[in-house]
Amino acid sequence: MEKMKTYRKRPLFLFFLCICCFIFLTFFCLLYGRVLQELQNQTLIIDRGFAYITLQHESDPTQLPQTQESLDGFDELFARLTENQQKYTYYEIYRQPLFMDGDQHESIQISNNVISDFSLEINIGRGFRQEDFSSEKENPIPIILGSDLKDSYNLNDEFWAQYLYEDYLFKVIGFLSPGSQIQRSTGTINLDSYYVMPSVEFTYRPTTETQYISQIIHRANKTSGKIRVSPENLQEVKNFVLDILEQSQVGEFSCSSSILSISPSYIIIFSAILLIGLFIVVIKIIWVLIKSIRPWVIIGSIIVMGSISKVAFSVATDLKISVFLLQTVALCLVLLVPIIIGSVRLKHQSN
């Protein structure tokens, strides 16, 4: 009882504690925002002033119905993603290996605009043409090889390789210059030892289970593209793409961006101010219910709310969830236990 009375006589302690928390958390959030802004600037420099949206098919393609309807669903999604590209550019860049004589070889599949937009130079032979991106089963698929493979192949050589469980005939049409690479802020792909395939549209109709699985995975890769967009149009394009993905019937997709859709400084400042307001409100609630401020409650509240603020910032910006809503819900859940304990203590004291 004496200890509780002592805590009741410390309103100034609570006031100064809130002031100190305000200064510390505001400084921390502003510093965190500055670091984020610097990282974002570096990302834009590497990506030549553009932002990128990365799509990824997350469902297991082998669990989708092995029917023509599934293939048509992917084709419809791909058409919607690639048509009317006025505010963005869609790239197909994915790595699916080739198998020859039981050995795995590095291979990358790209759309026609990757060679020009990522400054890939053809040293010998030619690059891809538009007709190279449509293939019948019996026709050879044009392929460009990295410079390290010059000693193993000659121009116009043909060879068989397995791609996604199916055997295809390939024809060498060119070799890349040494040091060719696809560079983005997420990493650099050195193509010197790669087999560079066109991201072809197979026009033959599958007839076996293996062919259906192969074509479903192939189409899932084609719709897991990279979208280049100017930073000012990032949020608009991302919302547009998310709407398309939500309407598709071919499984779940993830959608992430290389930078934040709005300035990190604005989010951090808002988050810091909101955090302080919630901190004061919650402390007041616990003060009323428990009639004392235990040290573990104060320390725990600071740690919990600081962590929640950082998590809320990361999750909200990526999933389009309101920072205010996410923080409020999380704080209510985390602080529910001490509030219930305080209510029980008051009931016992009144009895």
Side-chain angles (χ1 to χ4, degrees):
M1 185 62 69
E2 291 296 327
K3 190 174 182 180
M4 183 175 293
K5 290 181 179 179
T6 302
Y7 279 109
R8 287 179 181 175
K9 296 178 181 178
R10 295 183 179 177
L12 287 178
F13 169 75
L14 178 61
F15 173 77
F16 285 115
L17 176 64
C18 291
I19 295 298
C20 292
C21 289
F22 176 83
I23 296 173
F24 172 77
L25 291 176
T26 301
F27 174 78
F28 171 79
C29 290
L30 291 176
L31 180 62
Y32 183 51
R34 186 179 180 88
V35 172
L36 279 177
Q37 186 67 62
E38 184 61 29
L39 291 175
Q40 182 162 295
N41 291 339
Q42 291 297 322
T43 298
L44 289 173
I45 291 174
I46 296 175
D47 290 333
R48 303 177 184 180
F50 291 100
Y52 280 88
I53 300 172
T54 300
L55 309 182
Q56 181 61 50
H57 187 260
E58 300 292 354
S59 300
D60 184 357
T62 62
Q63 300 302 314
L64 294 175
Q66 296 168 21
T67 62
Q68 187 62 39
E69 286 73 18
S70 294
L71 302 182
D72 293 341
F74 277 110
D75 290 341
E76 180 183 352
L77 173 60
F78 180 76
R80 295 193 64 188
L81 288 172
T82 55
E83 67 182 4
N84 195 26
Q85 299 181 47
Q86 295 182 353
K87 293 187 176 181
Y88 65 89
T89 303
Y90 188 90
Y91 298 105
E92 298 166 65
I93 304 174
Y94 52 94
R95 287 181 281 186
Q96 198 71 48
L98 296 179
F99 291 88
M100 289 177 278
D101 300 324
D103 295 327
Q104 178 175 316
H105 298 267
E106 292 181 313
S107 177
I108 189 169
Q109 295 73 39
I110 62 174
S111 52
N112 200 18
N113 53 1
V114 171
I115 291 182
S116 58
D117 290 2
F118 286 86
S119 303
L120 301 182
E121 295 184 359
I122 305 298
N123 187 25
I124 301 175
R126 67 172 178 86
F128 293 129
R129 298 169 181 162
Q130 190 58 44
E131 58 266 25
D132 295 333
F133 290 83
S134 179
S135 176
E136 290 285 350
K137 179 70 173 176
E138 63 274 10
N139 295 334
I141 299 175
I143 196 166
I144 299 173
L145 305 182
S147 60
D148 290 349
L149 299 173
K150 285 182 181 179
D151 296 334
S152 302
Y153 297 91
N154 294 314
L155 205 61
N156 297 319
D157 277 355
E158 294 185 352
F159 61 92
W160 287 89
Q162 186 183 88
Y163 170 72
L164 287 174
Y165 316 116
E166 287 287 299
D167 291 327
Y168 295 93
L169 179 63
F170 293 89
K171 182 177 181 178
V172 179
I173 63 170
F175 292 88
L176 292 172
S177 298
S180 295
Q181 59 185 16
I182 297 176
Q183 185 179 28
R184 286 186 53 223
S185 57
T186 53
T188 299
I189 305 174
N190 190 304
L191 301 176
D192 286 344
S193 61
Y194 270 76
Y195 293 75
V196 182
M197 284 179 56
S199 181
V200 297
E201 178 183 350
F202 292 109
T203 55
Y204 73 91
R205 195 180 187 93
T207 57
T208 66
E209 179 181 349
T210 301
Q211 288 180 349
Y212 270 111
I213 293 176
S214 175
Q215 288 304 300
I216 288 175
I217 297 176
H218 178 70
R219 283 165 165 81
N221 287 337
K222 287 178 69 68
T223 52
S224 298
K226 313 294 186 291
I227 297 175
R228 188 182 72 176
V229 60
S230 61
E232 57 268 20
N233 293 327
L234 174 59
Q235 192 59 51
E236 178 185 353
V237 172
K238 189 173 183 180
N239 291 340
F240 171 74
V241 171
L242 285 173
D243 290 338
I244 293 177
L245 296 178
E246 289 173 359
Q247 296 172 22
S248 69
Q249 303 295 323
V250 291
E252 298 295 326
F253 282 83
S254 62
C255 179
S256 60
S257 55
S258 59
I259 63 172
L260 301 173
S261 55
I262 60 176
S263 172
S265 301
Y266 294 143
I267 297 178
I268 294 299
I269 293 173
F270 169 77
S271 187
I273 296 174
L274 176 63
L275 183 64
I276 299 304
L278 290 175
F279 177 80
I280 295 174
V281 170
V282 170
I283 289 296
K284 182 63 177 178
I285 293 174
I286 298 178
W287 176 274
V288 172
L289 291 177
I290 305 180
K291 298 299 183 180
S292 65
I293 301 296
R294 300 292 184 182
W296 68 269
V297 174
I298 298 172
I299 297 173
S301 298
I302 296 174
I303 296 175
V304 167
M305 282 184 280
S307 302
I308 289 175
S309 177
K310 185 175 180 180
V311 173
F313 165 76
S314 302
V315 175
T317 53
D318 196 44
L319 300 182
K320 299 194 304 180
I321 301 174
S322 168
V323 177
F324 175 82
L325 176 62
L326 194 60
Q327 286 182 329
T328 303
V329 172
L331 284 172
C332 290
L333 291 176
V334 172
L335 296 169
L336 186 62
V337 174
I339 290 176
I340 293 176
I341 294 174
S343 301
V344 173
R345 286 188 57 184
L346 281 179
K347 183 176 181 180
H348 285 306
Q349 290 176 3
S350 61
N351 294 335

